[in-house]
Amino acid sequence: MRKLLLAAAMLVGFAATGVMAKEPSSNIGGVRSDEVNENAIRALYVQFADAWNKHDPARLAGMWALDGDHVEPDGRHADGRDAILDLFTKQHGSVFKTTVLTLGIEDVWFVTGDVALVDGTYAISGIIAPDGSQIPPRKGNLTSVLLKEGGKWWIAASRLMIPAELPWRPAAAAPAAGTTH
């Protein structure tokens, strides 16, 4: 039910902003409540990186809404806080048990006062394959929807993506000598 309400709130929020605004506006806009909420959300991601780097799956999963979900870059889907806890427990007990996570939160956009969209980047180093070999650092993008309930921000949906070149797009050309881009 919460997912249905979240989807409806997002549609209403997007429709309202599309009808009322001709150009995108700042995600803070000088509104004090947005600044306070953005700071709280950014602090949540600092806590997330700390819990990851201490390999604390319970603390990580505890940041999700009860019916929240998480999708890994390979499409693996964990639906609900218990499934997310199970996923993180397995990962941090094996391939991620020596990893270090670095997060960069780029944008926090408020769809409503209680719904936020977060975009950022992540890098994980120290991944060990099941055969014991070290895997190169994994870098990617993240997008999350957060809900504020009971005065606290919760991750409702999290999506990770590893950028890949698209075969139908030409590779970006290097800048010509003497130019900067």
Side-chain angles (χ1 to χ4, degrees), residues 42-113:
R42 289 180 181 276
L44 176 72
Y45 281 93
V46 169
Q47 294 166 15
F48 184 91
D50 181 64
W52 182 285
N53 294 330
K54 290 180 179 172
H55 308 287
D56 187 344
R59 192 167 148 219
L60 289 167
M63 296 179 191
W64 263 260
L66 283 173
D67 60 349
D69 71 352
H70 173 74
V71 178
E72 292 277 300
D74 66 354
R76 181 175 298 225
H77 184 258
D79 193 16
R81 189 184 294 163
D82 290 341
I84 294 165
L85 174 60
D86 185 55
L87 174 67
F88 287 150
T89 299
K90 288 176 181 169
Q91 290 176 335
H92 285 269
S94 60
V95 296
F96 288 161
K97 69 180 172 185
T98 61
T99 57
V100 174
L101 172 70
T102 304
L103 292 174
I105 301 304
E106 295 170 0
D107 289 307
V108 178
W109 290 90
F110 293 98
V111 178
T112 70

Side-chain angles (χ1 to χ4, degrees), residues 73-179:
D74 66 354
R76 181 175 298 225
H77 184 258
D79 193 16
R81 189 184 294 163
D82 290 341
I84 294 165
L85 174 60
D86 185 55
L87 174 67
F88 287 150
T89 299
K90 288 176 181 169
Q91 290 176 335
H92 285 269
S94 60
V95 296
F96 288 161
K97 69 180 172 185
T98 61
T99 57
V100 174
L101 172 70
T102 304
L103 292 174
I105 301 304
E106 295 170 0
D107 289 307
V108 178
W109 290 90
F110 293 98
V111 178
T112 70
D114 296 331
V115 177
L117 179 67
V118 176
D119 283 311
T121 59
Y122 69 93
I124 304 172
S125 60
I127 305 168
I128 304 298
D131 68 4
S133 63
Q134 182 142 351
I135 295 174
R138 183 169 96 184
K139 296 179 180 181
N141 300 322
L142 66 89
T143 299
S144 299
V145 175
L146 279 73
L147 297 174
K148 188 175 186 183
E149 291 182 340
K152 181 177 175 178
W153 286 97
W154 302 91
I155 301 170
S158 175
R159 305 292 184 265
L160 302 179
M161 188 268 297
I162 298 174
E165 288 189 32
L166 300 174
W168 59 88
R169 283 204 183 134
T179 63

Side-chain angles (χ1 to χ4, degrees), residues 6-29:
L6 173 62
M10 289 179 67
L11 287 174
V12 169
F14 288 136
T17 57
V19 170
M20 296 169 26
K22 293 181 181 173
E23 294 182 14
S25 59
S26 167
N27 61 339
I28 293 179

